[in-house]
Amino acid sequence: DPDMPFVPSIPEDQFILVEEGDPAVIPCRTSDPDAQVTLVNSLEKSVHALYDTKQGFIGNFPAGSYICKTMVKGVEFKSDEFLIYIIRATSQLPVEIEALKTVYKTGETIVVTCVVFDNEVVNLQWNYPGKVKEKGLIKLDDIKVPSQKLVYTLTIPEASVKDTGDYECTARHATKEVKENKKVVITVHDKGFVHLEPQFGALESVNLHEVKNFVVDVQ
């Protein structure tokens, strides 16, 4: 099609996630397989890379924006803009879950954190008793220094007995079929209590000058 030399791209194709060191495909394909195509970066400088008419430009590209150009009967055409993002990722998905405490009283705030190490882009989902009512507040902190980690914090304000149960986070790799999940059990009591377990009877006797210990376990 001389009026549309570049095959239209869908928005999903314009955002390209690439792991560090991996080759990427910039999918500017032409409707004419014999068209001469040039790849340029955001500085309008030509970028040398292998071109496949059925796929696009293939190579190891720095992060940034790119467009493709071609000429048809002396008229220059430009493709859509393609954005390449370089992400840090590992084949494994190290995940840790942590709760400041696992026993709460009604009215307190439950805080659980799930940390993903050495991966910049993951899909993380929470499962917990109050999820159906969307009771939890989720916050993400992306920490780069001294090492890469994503810290997801789940907060449940005004906890009730119904918030007792399993709190589970499931992380899925952005580019690989890898997932990891971790779980912690949280208990919420209607009110605080102290449990005493005496290790002596209701009536005890002692001889003169005898030393006797009275032991009580307190929880």
Side-chain angles (χ1 to χ4, degrees):
D1 182 353
D3 295 324
M4 190 174 287
F6 287 107
V7 178
S9 56
I10 60 175
E12 290 82 356
D13 287 342
Q14 292 174 245
F15 296 90
I16 305 164
L17 290 178
V18 189
E19 291 182 23
E20 283 181 321
D22 285 355
V25 176
I26 298 176
C28 53
R29 297 174 294 126
T30 57
S31 57
D32 177 5
D34 296 323
Q36 298 297 310
V37 185
T38 303
L39 178 66
V40 296
N41 59 21
S42 57
L43 301 176
E44 289 289 322
K45 291 186 177 180
S46 296
V47 178
H48 298 287
L50 174 67
Y51 185 70
D52 184 318
T53 57
K54 295 180 181 180
Q55 296 185 68
F57 283 98
I58 304 169
N60 291 85
F61 305 106
S65 65
Y66 298 83
I67 62 169
C68 303
K69 296 180 178 181
T70 189
M71 298 286 289
V72 177
K73 296 180 180 178
V75 178
E76 183 181 74
F77 287 85
K78 296 181 179 180
S79 71
D80 294 322
E81 182 183 34
F82 297 93
L83 297 171
I84 290 184
Y85 296 91
I86 307 296
I87 62 172
R88 187 176 302 165
T90 59
S91 57
Q92 302 298 316
L93 202 55
V95 177
E96 288 184 5
I97 194 168
E98 182 181 59
L100 295 177
K101 57 181 184 177
T102 57
V103 179
Y104 291 84
K105 292 187 296 183
T106 295
E108 291 186 322
T109 300
I110 298 173
V111 179
V112 182
T113 57
C114 195
V115 185
V116 182
F117 298 91
D118 302 324
N119 286 266
E120 286 187 294
V121 182
V122 298
N123 177 18
L124 188 131
Q125 292 181 325
W126 286 97
N127 281 308
Y128 57 97
K131 185 176 181 179
V132 175
K133 296 183 179 180
E134 297 182 347
K135 190 173 180 180
L137 306 172
I138 299 172
K139 174 188 169 189
L140 169 61
D141 292 309
D142 186 354
I143 299 172
K144 306 288 188 185
V145 179
S147 60
Q148 172 65 44
K149 62 181 177 180
L150 300 173
V151 181
Y152 297 83
T153 304
L154 171 66
T155 304
I156 311 289
E158 295 292 324
S160 70
V161 175
K162 292 182 179 178
D163 292 309
T164 294
D166 294 343
Y167 285 70
E168 184 178 54
C169 66
T170 302
R172 288 181 170 81
H173 207 290
T175 56
K176 297 182 176 69
E177 291 298 320
V178 179
K179 74 173 184 176
E180 186 71 33
N181 67 301
K182 290 294 174 68
K183 180 177 72 173
V184 66
V185 179
I186 301 289
T187 304
V188 182
H189 294 289
D190 186 37
K191 57 185 178 181
F193 64 88
V194 174
H195 180 70
L196 302 177
E197 192 69 44
Q199 297 181 15
F200 51 88
L203 178 64
E204 292 281 346
S205 61
V206 62
N207 294 322
L208 186 63
H209 303 306
E210 180 187 357
V211 176
K212 190 162 188 177
N213 292 325
F214 295 86
V215 179
V216 180
D217 285 338
V218 182
Q219 291 185 350

